Amino acid sequence: MALDGIRMPDGCYADGTWELKMHVTDLHRDVSLRVTGEIHVGGVMLKLAEKLDVKKDWSDHALWWEKKKTWLLKTHWTLDKYGIQADARLLFTPQHKLLRLQLPNMKHMKVKVNFSDRVFKAVSDICKTFNIRHPEEASLLRKPRDPKKKKKKLEEAEEEALELEGPLLTPGSASEIIYIGPVKGSIYSSPGLYSKTMTPTYDSRDGSPLSPTTAWFGDSPLSEGNPSILAVSQPISSPDILAKLYKPQSLLDKAKINQGWMDSSRSLMEQDVKENEVLLLRFKYHSFFDLNPKYDAIRVNQLYEQAKWAILLEEIECTEEEMMMFAALQYHINKLSIMSSDNHMNNSEKEVDEVDAALSDLEITLEGGKTSNTLGDITSIPELADYVKVFKPKKLTLKGYKQYWCTFKDITISCYKSKEEAHGTPSLQMNLRGCEVTPDVNISAQKFNIKLLIPVADGMNEIWLRCDAEKQYAHWMAACRLASKGKTMADSSYNLEVHNILSFLKMQHMNPDPQFIAEPAVTNDINSECLVSPRYLKKYKNKQPGYIRDLISARILEAHQNVAQMSLIEAKMRFIQAWQSLPEFGITHFLAKFQGGKRDELIGITYNRLIRMDANTGDAIKTWRFANMKQWNVNWEIKMVTVEFADEPSLAFICAEVDCKVVHEFIGGYIFLSTRAKDQNESLDEEMFYKLTSGWV
């Protein structure tokens, strides 16, 4: 026996080599190589390919260390540097693997994704292929499980109801497209549909292509299938679909859903994601930057779909009047989507003047509607002064409003017993910086209340304001929202905020035409059980099914009169805007135990603040603004998050049932999004994102 063939007790041979065991996943084959610790990873892969002697493109393959959950991507590193010894078992496997992706519209796509890329980069590639700008707002989420249903049956029911027909997209170049439906075979995709040059792609009036579909998508396989499938809303076909999907029953259920967010700084393989696993692509950060119909037809539609499902599955609360408004917008969008699809089939050579499209962009924005062209006196700060009813609730007392003459200057409300005493000392004064502002509105009852939770040293003071009319409410509500952010009514967004509030209220008006009577033929055209959430269907549970359908359909048609003149893209934008106006919008809940606290509570994270919340009622106990934050740290051993503020005591809490890394990433992610500016280019500063969100990277 040759000297180098003598194996020592430690597993090494006499010449210093040892056997490295590897499994080639494509061939289902185990292979052993004689190596030394000084050989680099690239050399190992080269020796492996030579030993396999199989004619195949191995360029997408890499080594995966199962035990350590690590990709060996630094091919110039030696095995010693990685710490690999004879007991290691490596996989030689493709980096790009199939993932079953559920889009915000609940449709499934099979997508090839790089399982070795960090999730942030993988999501960017997916969004680039889907022509969704600002991928930093999105991420991947594991599917929530309904504990009341069996896992297998739930998956089968959802996929049967929500499977997507037609060609399915694949990120990256030279990647296989998987088809489901009538078209069979495989072709190769273009590098993506994303427009870096901001060339107009869509008509800003209705979201349709500005040019024939072949030019719209270029060499993309979508031009051979249904080019508008991602930009067109598809109506819910049956109420059974809603019944089969998971609905969170409480705030704690909502908090549990957020356990499933993927770590953006680690790869999918590192997080135990398997090939062909189902993940949800969702807008994670509710801070939608530069949403423009001219470039964002797909992004707008997917945002609309995410908002629609959040309302129908009761992930976010809304009043009955708001529900009917959302249902009317859904009905309108469904009708126009069908008409739009038919028009494109008959008129693919549609031409749109780009100057007209650009001008219409100035009218249709996320904020909605036309803005006032009156600049006003920029040297003075506007003020509000009017009689407003004020209520300061106390325990064991009935609600009793007291009328005051109130003045709103800068970010402070001063309350006087009468208008004549306005030059004296106020009876009550409130600084609204950092406060929580919540609407309490009922149009039919003419109730226009504003709930203020004002931060003080030991928690929050609760104050209620009651306005007499919509116009007064809109001005005071807009001023309160700006003041909570430390802004005055001199800010350029004040008039726009007032306009948005009035528009939102106007859409909720029921039966503006007293002579309106819904025709039976028209009400039969509405599938009302697919337009409203189960909660509002249960309200009429004692009625006959046909009567319920007709009654709700009639109410939807009444509300539809307020939106019937909107274009398709405007209706979607208004739906998103109305979603953003709901009190619970953008609050991501996590279960936490605060330092000094004895029981689990909720921590809510939004784009600009942290909220300590009652786990049962959802009421805010204390609010901390990011603008007042100095730094935040994590003790990874005890999983405690500590946040320090400029002029307040520090905040510390331990996350329950979720890794504190998820909470850390939400805080850092929102701070990263706040640094975006319209004058910067389309590229993302990935390293800055990782610095703010990773913690240990």
Side-chain angles (χ1 to χ4, degrees):
M1 181 182 291
L3 181 64
D4 64 358
I6 300 175
R7 188 167 183 174
M8 312 300 286
D10 61 358
C12 295
Y13 290 82
D15 61 354
T17 62
W18 42 274
E19 284 191 354
L20 178 62
K21 297 176 182 177
M22 288 175 284
H23 178 75
V24 184
T25 57
D26 287 9
L27 306 178
H28 303 287
R29 196 169 141 191
D30 290 321
V31 180
S32 294
L33 290 180
R34 291 273 293 275
V35 298
T36 68
E38 295 178 356
I39 188 172
H40 54 77
V41 171
V44 172
M45 292 194 292
L46 183 61
K47 289 181 68 174
L48 178 61
E50 290 173 350
K51 186 169 183 177
L52 291 172
D53 195 25
V54 175
K55 289 186 177 181
K56 181 178 175 65
D57 181 5
W58 300 104
S59 60
D60 187 46
H61 286 59
L63 292 174
W64 166 255
W65 191 0
E66 277 188 305
K67 185 177 179 181
K68 298 290 186 180
K69 293 185 180 180
T70 302
W71 283 97
L72 309 184
L73 298 179
K74 296 177 180 177
T75 53
H76 60 286
W77 277 25
T78 63
L79 297 180
D80 281 345
K81 191 166 184 178
Y82 268 115
I84 294 174
Q85 297 177 347
D87 62 343
R89 183 176 184 271
L90 306 181
L91 295 185
F92 189 55
T93 186
Q95 297 174 69
H96 286 81
K97 300 177 185 293
L98 279 175
L99 193 66
R100 294 159 68 204
L101 203 63
Q102 188 195 76
L103 300 185
N105 64 359
M106 294 290 191
K107 303 300 180 184
H108 288 79
M109 286 189 164
K110 286 186 179 178
V111 184
K112 266 195 176 175
V113 178
N114 192 331
F115 273 52
S116 68
D117 270 343
R118 293 174 174 179
V119 166
F120 184 83
K121 176 67 167 59
V123 171
S124 295
D125 289 343
I126 291 169
C127 290
K128 178 180 178 181
T129 302
F130 292 166
N131 201 10
I132 297 174
R133 295 193 306 138
H134 299 293
E136 67 275 12
E137 297 167 1
S139 191
L140 298 174
L141 177 70
R142 289 190 188 272
K143 296 187 75 171
R145 299 295 177 193
D146 188 344
K148 298 178 183 177
K149 295 184 179 180
K150 291 185 179 180
K151 178 179 176 181
K152 190 174 181 181
K153 287 185 177 180
L154 178 65
E155 283 187 356
E156 289 175 355
E158 287 185 7
E159 289 171 22
E160 181 183 353
L162 299 170
E163 192 59 82
L164 180 67
E165 295 180 359
L168 303 183
L169 293 175
T170 305
S173 58
S175 299
E176 190 177 0
I177 304 296
I178 308 301
Y179 285 83
I180 294 177
V183 186
K184 296 182 180 179
S186 66
I187 55 178
Y188 293 91
S189 74
S190 64
L193 314 174
Y194 186 72
S195 172
K196 289 186 177 179
T197 57
M198 295 295 286
T199 305
T201 319
Y202 308 100
D203 180 356
S204 60
R205 297 181 183 87
D206 62 7
S208 61
L210 286 180
S211 55
T213 54
T214 52
W216 180 31
F217 278 91
D219 297 328
S220 166
L222 279 185
S223 60
E224 300 183 18
N226 183 358
S228 57
I229 195 165
L230 298 179
V232 175
S233 174
Q234 297 173 338
I236 301 171
S237 57
S238 166
D240 292 339
I241 293 175
L242 284 174
K244 292 174 182 176
L245 295 178
Y246 174 66
K247 302 175 190 66
Q249 301 297 316
S250 65
L251 288 170
L252 296 179
D253 288 343
K254 295 177 185 178
K256 287 178 181 177
I257 290 175
N258 293 314
Q259 297 174 18
W261 287 109
M262 306 302 295
D263 185 340
S264 297
S265 303
R266 297 162 63 208
S267 70
L268 292 171
M269 286 275 278
E270 290 174 71
Q271 300 179 72
D272 297 321
V273 176
K274 308 299 182 187
E275 187 168 12
N276 274 316
E277 186 171 333
V278 177
L279 290 181
L280 281 53
L281 178 68
R282 294 291 184 270
F283 292 94
K284 174 179 180 178
Y285 300 103
H286 291 73
S287 177
F288 313 128
F289 183 72
D290 188 27
L291 194 58
N292 190 325
K294 191 173 182 180
Y295 315 107
D296 290 324
I298 292 174
R299 183 175 169 220
V300 167
N301 185 61
Q302 295 301 322
L303 264 175
Y304 157 71
E305 289 284 349
Q306 183 163 325
K308 177 183 79 176
W309 285 103
I311 289 162
L312 291 177
L313 297 178
E314 299 172 1
E315 293 173 9
I316 187 169
E317 299 286 340
C318 64
T319 66
E320 187 172 353
E321 289 175 330
E322 289 165 345
M323 178 58 72
M324 295 306 159
M325 174 198 67
F326 284 122
L329 282 168
Q330 273 190 76
Y331 171 65
H332 187 61
I333 290 166
N334 292 344
K335 282 180 60 178
L336 293 185
S337 296
I338 295 169
M339 291 169 57
S340 177
S341 298
D342 292 342
N343 289 339
H344 292 319
M345 292 293 289
N346 298 327
N347 184 20
S348 63
E349 300 297 325
K350 176 183 176 182
E351 295 182 0
V352 177
D353 188 285
E354 291 188 11
V355 176
D356 289 344
L359 289 173
S360 65
D361 278 346
L362 299 176
E363 298 178 9
I364 306 173
T365 62
L366 176 61
E367 289 77 25
K370 298 179 180 178
T371 59
S372 171
N373 58 3
T374 305
L375 294 177
D377 183 1
I378 61 174
T379 61
S380 64
I381 297 177
E383 299 176 3
L384 291 176
D386 208 344
Y387 279 106
V388 178
K389 294 183 178 69
V390 180
F391 169 63
K392 191 173 182 181
K394 296 179 182 178
K395 290 184 179 179
L396 304 177
T397 60
L398 297 174
K399 289 190 176 182
Y401 284 89
K402 190 174 181 180
Q403 184 166 279
Y404 287 92
W405 175 260
C406 297
T407 61
F408 203 137
K409 298 180 181 180
D410 294 325
I411 58 173
T412 301
I413 297 178
S414 301
C415 304
Y416 304 90
K417 291 182 179 179
S418 66
K419 184 177 181 180
E420 291 71 28
E421 298 180 16
H423 297 292
T425 303
S427 303
L428 178 66
Q429 198 165 49
M430 300 166 275
N431 185 307
L432 269 53
R433 184 188 296 274
C435 75
E436 287 292 308
V437 184
T438 308
D440 180 26
V441 175
N442 187 316
I443 301 292
S444 58
Q446 288 295 291
K447 182 176 76 171
F448 305 101
N449 292 346
I450 303 170
K451 179 182 177 181
L452 303 174
L453 290 174
I454 303 169
V456 291
D458 58 346
M460 307 282 272
N461 275 346
E462 185 174 350
I463 303 288
W464 290 66
L465 306 179
R466 171 168 286 181
C467 299
D468 293 328
E470 289 183 23
K471 192 171 182 181
Q472 184 191 37
Y473 166 80
H475 282 87
W476 283 80
M477 186 62 169
C480 289
R481 284 178 176 169
L482 263 63
S484 70
K485 303 172 188 176
K487 298 178 180 180
T488 71
M489 286 173 275
D491 191 87
S492 59
S493 62
Y494 173 68
N495 287 333
L496 194 57
E497 186 72 32
V498 173
H499 173 84
N500 290 342
I501 293 169
L502 288 172
S503 299
F504 185 53
L505 295 176
K506 184 180 179 182
M507 286 193 293
Q508 295 179 57
H509 280 273
M510 301 304 293
N511 198 10
D513 183 0
Q515 303 300 317
F516 174 78
I517 300 175
E519 295 288 336
V522 179
T523 56
N524 290 336
D525 184 42
I526 298 182
N527 193 354
S528 57
E529 292 168 293
C530 295
L531 300 175
V532 299
S533 69
R535 173 180 300 176
Y536 292 104
L537 289 175
K538 288 178 184 176
K539 182 178 178 181
Y540 305 98
K541 63 182 178 181
N542 295 326
K543 307 290 184 182
Q544 295 180 355
Y547 177 78
I548 296 173
R549 185 174 58 251
D550 292 343
L551 181 62
I552 296 178
S553 298
R555 291 199 63 187
I556 292 172
L557 283 174
E558 290 174 19
H560 180 249
Q561 292 180 85
N562 299 315
V563 301
Q565 302 305 313
M566 292 181 185
S567 68
L568 176 58
I569 198 74
E570 185 183 2
K572 290 180 182 178
M573 293 289 245
R574 287 298 183 92
F575 195 102
I576 296 169
Q577 179 196 11
W579 176 44
Q580 290 176 298
S581 298
L582 297 176
E584 290 185 4
F585 169 78
I587 301 177
T588 306
H589 302 90
F590 296 97
L591 199 60
K593 182 170 285 187
F594 289 84
Q595 196 171 42
K598 296 182 180 179
R599 56 191 175 87
D600 287 343
E601 298 176 75
L602 287 177
I603 183 85
I605 304 178
T606 74
Y607 76 98
N608 65 351
R609 65 197 188 279
L610 298 170
I611 311 169
R612 184 176 183 174
M613 308 173 75
D614 185 288
N616 296 316
T617 65
D619 291 341
I621 299 171
K622 179 76 175 174
T623 297
W624 299 268
R625 297 272 161 175
F626 290 156
N628 196 34
M629 187 168 67
K630 289 171 61 179
Q631 64 177 5
W632 75 102
N633 303 293
V634 178
N635 184 324
W636 300 108
E637 292 184 5
I638 62 173
K639 307 296 185 184
M640 176 175 280
V641 180
T642 304
V643 188
E644 296 181 15
F645 300 94
D647 52 7
E648 291 185 80
S650 61
L651 163 69
F653 58 90
I654 295 175
C655 301
E657 299 186 5
V658 65
D659 194 324
C660 59
K661 173 66 171 62
V662 180
V663 176
H664 180 279
E665 185 172 308
F666 263 93
I667 297 173
Y670 272 124
I671 291 172
F672 173 77
L673 297 188
S674 70
T675 65
R676 296 177 296 181
K678 286 192 177 183
D679 57 352
Q680 70 187 33
N681 59 27
E682 291 294 310
S683 62
L684 289 172
D685 187 348
E686 285 188 41
E687 291 309 311
M688 178 59 71
F689 177 85
Y690 296 135
K691 284 179 182 178
L692 289 169
T693 61
S694 299
W696 56 75
V697 177

